[in-house]
Amino acid sequence: MKTESFIPYSTAQYTEAEIQQRSEDYYHAIDQRRSVRMFSDKPVASSVIDNLVRSASTAPSGAHKQPWTFCVVSDPEIKAKIREAAEKEEYENYHGRMSDDWLEDLKQFGTDWHKDFLTIAPYLIIVFKKAYDLVDGEKQKNYYVNESVGLACGFLISAIHHAGLVTLTHTPSPMNFLQKILDRPSNERPFLLLPVGHPADDAMVPDIQRKALDQVMVTY
Ligand code: IYR
């Protein structure tokens, strides 16, 4: 490796017992995360959202290009526009565009084309992926864009949960309307929409279980 331009790396060092405990603590904390569709309109400080997006943007990315833009929407008029457009698409999805198997798979989540959370949650974060960057009008290619932006969204979801807030991965389909409403440049494509806020006081979630370790891990 060529390391002439590198800088030293140091991070906290823990004992084996501490590492054991920390891995367990993190698992128990993140295991409490649920996708929540019932939001409160209780405000959240914009400085909190800044920190959540800062955290998301620490994710690894192909050639460290950070090929993402996080659009943070709190303006009620823009939220209403997004809800109107998303519900129009979702109406079509639930009335013919989704297969019977798909609709059957979704039954336990109780979802339909109504998307109240898009106007109730204090913030919508719409994540855009950048297939390329525009530098002085020149196209500069990005790498592993879907993987990179997916990782950043994972970091974002984890940060939201850690802060004590809730979110939901919402993918209205098709979602090019987001590019238009938010007036994004041609190198950006909508990737994921996350409402962020407090859960409603009477929020409910589906009664589902996670797969056990032996169903998701194979050791060699
Ligand atoms: N996008 C629709 C449908 C939907 C699809 C999947 I896969 C889900 O896990 C949940 C919903 C909607 O948001 O209702």
Side-chain angles (χ1 to χ4, degrees):
M1 268 186 95
K2 293 201 173 115
T3 61
E4 298 92 48
S5 60
F6 281 25
I7 52 170
Y9 173 74
S10 65
T11 189
Q13 293 292 307
Y14 300 103
T15 64
E16 259 181 64
E18 283 169 335
I19 291 171
Q20 180 67 39
Q21 191 60 49
R22 290 173 63 85
S23 68
E24 237 172 270
D25 290 349
Y26 183 74
Y27 163 57
H28 288 304
I30 201 71
D31 191 37
Q32 296 299 307
R33 185 206 60 80
R34 294 295 310 261
S35 291
V36 171
R37 292 183 168 80
M38 297 157 100
F39 280 78
S40 155
D41 61 0
K42 186 174 164 183
V44 171
S46 65
S47 52
V48 169
I49 303 295
D50 291 352
N51 286 332
L52 300 176
V53 174
R54 281 190 181 105
S55 301
S57 201
T58 67
S61 60
H64 188 51
K65 296 285 185 178
Q66 298 182 267
W68 45 63
T69 302
F70 297 87
C71 293
V72 175
V73 177
S74 58
D75 181 323
E77 272 180 35
I78 303 178
K79 287 199 287 183
K81 268 193 201 166
I82 290 175
R83 177 173 174 184
E84 194 190 344
E87 287 187 331
K88 206 166 147 203
E89 294 298 351
E90 293 295 6
Y91 185 89
E92 296 303 326
N93 291 335
Y94 281 90
H95 293 87
R97 283 207 296 230
M98 292 194 293
S99 67
D100 289 345
D101 283 349
W102 194 348
L103 291 172
E104 187 59 33
D105 278 340
L106 289 183
K107 262 194 183 149
Q108 60 176 329
F109 303 102
T111 57
D112 61 24
W113 62 275
H114 296 98
K115 302 296 167 192
D116 324 22
F117 54 76
L118 293 176
T119 46
I120 296 175
Y123 291 95
L124 305 179
I125 302 182
I126 300 97
V127 187
F128 285 80
K129 63 176 181 182
K130 296 158 97 171
Y132 55 91
D133 273 303
L134 281 173
V135 182
D136 303 327
E138 293 253 319
K139 283 188 184 182
Q140 287 187 359
K141 198 181 158 5
N142 291 325
Y143 313 96
Y144 298 97
V145 170
N146 286 316
E147 292 84 347
S148 302
V149 182
L151 286 162
C153 288
F155 275 41
L156 178 60
I157 292 165
S158 169
I160 291 167
H161 176 69
H162 182 77
L165 299 171
V166 294
T167 189
L168 167 71
T169 49
H170 180 48
T171 49
S173 165
M175 56 177 168
N176 6 7
F177 65 85
L178 291 166
Q179 192 166 9
K180 290 200 191 93
I181 292 174
L182 299 171
D183 198 21
R184 301 312 305 159
S186 58
N187 63 323
E188 295 190 9
R189 294 276 180 271
F191 185 80
L192 191 62
L193 187 164
L194 299 118
V196 182
H198 293 273
D201 288 339
D202 55 356
M204 306 273 282
V205 292
D207 184 12
I208 50 175
Q209 265 69 51
R210 296 196 162 98
K211 289 180 180 175
L213 187 60
D214 65 1
Q215 294 173 287
V216 298
M217 186 170 92
V218 184
T219 51
Y220 298 89

